[in-house]
Amino acid sequence: MATGNVPRPPDPPGPRTGYLPWHGRRWPRARTAAIGVVLAGYAWAAGAAEPFSTTSLVFVLIPGVVVAAIAVAWPPQRIPPPEKLDITGMFYWVIAVAALFEWEASAWKDNSLPWHPSLTDLINPLLGPHLVKSVAILLWICVGWALVRR
């Protein structure tokens, strides 16, 4: 979206020829695999919770609190703002977001009639199966982590 180059962090010192990123790094790979298994199990358990229950609220709050605590304790290094913004690209995003807000507002005003359902009414049947709901929760947790790491 931004025009102009964003500075890239410098390369680490030392020779890079013949460097294999997985060589001699078994512990981080095992730790990453263990974290992935734990998160998949957590998402599976959260997907089994009844919607709008106290259990599902707790399942949503736990990763939110953990990610928020990580973001506060170890703030990410900020990317400097660009010199110039791409106004055309930003305008396309504003149009898309405004259209979604208008859809939700008009569906709420019309009391979500069958001929004009809200986005939530359209997505709920898709998230009905346990596997799909669990994958959506896992994706939500990963997106939260990606935002914190950024």
Side-chain angles (χ1 to χ4, degrees):
M1 298 287 277
T3 58
N5 294 331
V6 176
R8 203 177 78 178
D11 290 333
R16 303 283 293 173
T17 58
Y19 175 75
L20 299 175
W22 58 84
H23 181 67
R25 295 181 59 191
R26 293 182 193 260
W27 168 245
R29 294 179 91 198
R31 183 179 59 190
T32 303
I35 290 172
V37 168
V38 168
L39 286 179
Y42 185 86
W44 187 261
E50 185 69 28
F52 302 110
S53 66
T54 305
T55 308
S56 65
L57 175 66
V58 170
F59 271 122
V60 169
L61 286 178
I62 289 173
V65 168
V66 168
V67 168
I70 291 171
V72 169
W74 298 284
Q77 182 180 5
R78 300 292 178 197
I79 299 171
E83 297 281 329
K84 204 161 109 177
L85 291 177
D86 181 15
I87 300 300
T88 306
M90 183 65 183
F91 189 65
Y92 290 144
W93 279 107
V94 168
I95 289 173
V97 169
L100 291 175
F101 276 126
E102 191 280 329
W103 183 333
E104 282 294 315
S106 62
W108 179 76
K109 178 187 170 283
D110 294 339
N111 204 14
S112 195
L113 297 173
W115 55 268
H116 192 325
S118 66
L119 293 173
T120 308
D121 291 339
L122 292 175
I123 291 175
N124 275 343
L126 298 174
L127 291 176
H130 180 77
L131 178 64
V132 176
K133 193 184 304 183
S134 299
V135 169
I137 291 170
L138 183 62
L139 182 65
W140 173 71
I141 292 171
C142 291
V143 167
W145 176 249
L147 286 173
V148 167
R149 286 190 63 209
R150 186 170 183 239

